[in-house]
Amino acid sequence: MATEAWRQFNCYSVLGISSTAGPDEIRTAYRRMSLKSHPDSGGTHEGQVRVNLAYEVLYDPVIRQAHDFHWIKAWASAKPKTESVREAPRTKTAEPHRPPPAEPKAHRETPPLSVEELFKRVKERIDKEFAKIWATREEKVNSTTTAYEQRYQNGLSSRGWRFAISVGLTMAALGEFVKGPILWIAAVIGWVSFLIVAQGIQIGSRKISFGDQEWRNKVRSYAAEDIDATCRKEEAKFRDYLGHVAALGQLASRSSTLDDSEKHIARRITA
């Protein structure tokens, strides 16, 4: 096929770009080289044909992949050229003792990790995180219950001193030795403040009455509900993470076809 001609030359060298160039960079380089290689600009017909072919190869993701694989093998198999260098005469001097170079350690390659094995490892780690979340549930419920009980006691105490202040202001306002509306206004504010907390304490969207005999049981029940909701929210975050890993695995393991665009292939390479 005609496109096999790129085996004779490196298309990146023809366009003067790196092997990581994107579509926009390839088009810009093609226009720049066409201005130089076109016969009307002092170039040659063969040079323009080579530039056109380099552009077609690099802009097609399938042919470009074959081109890159071919030239990567060529670079890997190429041996560096040795040149004979004429040394200038020099006087003999005592050379310092140098230890022999250490032998390179044998490199043991680890087998590549498959997508299935990666997903299995991630799932095992997430299962451990699930166990940690629910293992500390009872401890979190106890600490939250203690905090809610303290809030209840603080609310009860606040109701008491607000009531006492409101009564004191009212008695002072009723006294004959006091004249003017200032204490009456303060008394009204005090009673409004008392009425706000008179009925009970607010815990989230729930309210516990100060006269409720089962308030301790309700406090613990509310604490357990809040901790369970928090644990389920943390579980959902890990499940979303596992779903993202599975989606990336499917994307990376899916085979490319001639109908795929360069963007789709780039996404798989990135994955």
Side-chain angles (χ1 to χ4, degrees):
M1 54 187 297
T3 54
E4 293 290 327
W6 49 257
R7 294 181 180 273
Q8 307 301 323
F9 56 89
N10 190 323
C11 294
Y12 296 110
S13 299
V14 173
L15 297 183
I17 56 178
S18 66
S19 59
T20 59
D24 294 337
E25 194 173 349
I26 294 173
R27 282 194 296 267
T28 303
Y30 168 71
R31 297 190 188 102
R32 183 180 65 252
M33 296 304 298
S34 294
L35 293 176
K36 297 180 180 179
S37 60
H38 197 275
D40 296 340
S41 302
T44 62
H45 175 73
E46 292 77 14
Q48 184 61 42
V49 169
R50 180 172 292 194
V51 170
N52 293 340
L53 180 60
Y55 172 75
E56 294 175 1
V57 169
L58 297 184
Y59 207 76
D60 189 307
V62 177
I63 303 178
R64 180 178 179 178
Q65 186 176 9
H67 167 274
D68 293 353
F69 183 74
H70 169 76
W71 283 99
I72 287 174
K73 288 200 305 180
W75 291 331
S77 60
K79 296 182 179 179
K81 297 181 179 180
T82 57
E83 297 182 358
S84 58
V85 180
R86 181 179 299 176
E87 295 184 355
R90 59 182 179 179
T91 59
K92 293 184 178 180
T93 57
E95 296 183 355
H97 174 70
R98 295 186 179 90
E103 296 182 359
K105 296 181 179 180
H107 177 67
R108 184 178 60 183
E109 295 185 356
T110 56
L113 188 65
S114 65
V115 176
E116 291 78 9
E117 291 173 345
L118 174 62
F119 184 79
K120 182 179 179 181
R121 289 189 183 183
V122 174
K123 189 176 184 305
E124 290 175 354
R125 178 60 184 272
I126 289 180
D127 289 341
K128 292 180 181 179
E129 294 297 329
F130 285 166
K132 288 181 182 179
I133 291 173
W134 293 103
T136 58
R137 175 190 176 276
E138 195 65 25
E139 180 182 350
K140 293 178 180 178
V141 169
N142 293 334
S143 61
T144 305
T145 300
T146 302
Y148 287 173
E149 288 179 351
Q150 186 62 43
R151 188 185 303 178
Y152 181 90
Q153 296 293 345
N154 292 341
L156 191 62
S157 175
S158 175
R159 187 184 72 158
W161 63 256
R162 292 188 190 196
F163 177 77
I165 291 175
S166 300
V167 172
L169 291 173
T170 303
M171 296 300 294
L174 292 174
E176 297 180 357
F177 59 93
V178 176
K179 296 181 180 180
I182 298 177
L183 283 180
W184 283 110
I185 295 175
V188 171
I189 294 174
W191 283 111
V192 171
S193 174
F194 166 75
L195 292 176
I196 292 175
V197 298
Q199 299 300 319
I201 187 68
Q202 195 79 17
I203 299 179
S205 59
R206 301 148 301 194
K207 196 169 187 177
I208 301 179
S209 175
F210 287 125
D212 195 342
Q213 300 298 322
E214 299 292 328
W215 71 270
R216 291 186 181 275
N217 294 334
K218 289 184 177 180
V219 163
R220 184 168 185 84
S221 175
Y222 295 159
E225 290 178 6
D226 292 344
I227 294 303
D228 289 344
T230 302
C231 292
R232 286 192 293 269
K233 187 180 296 184
E234 293 181 4
E235 264 194 343
K237 289 167 59 178
F238 283 110
R239 293 189 190 281
D240 290 342
Y241 179 79
L242 187 62
H244 294 327
V245 173
L248 285 174
Q250 293 178 358
L251 181 63
S253 60
R254 192 180 304 153
S255 301
S256 299
T257 64
L258 294 176
D259 296 330
D260 290 338
S261 64
E262 185 173 344
K263 180 179 179 181
H264 292 160
I265 296 176
R267 287 181 61 192
R268 293 196 188 107
I269 295 174
T270 305

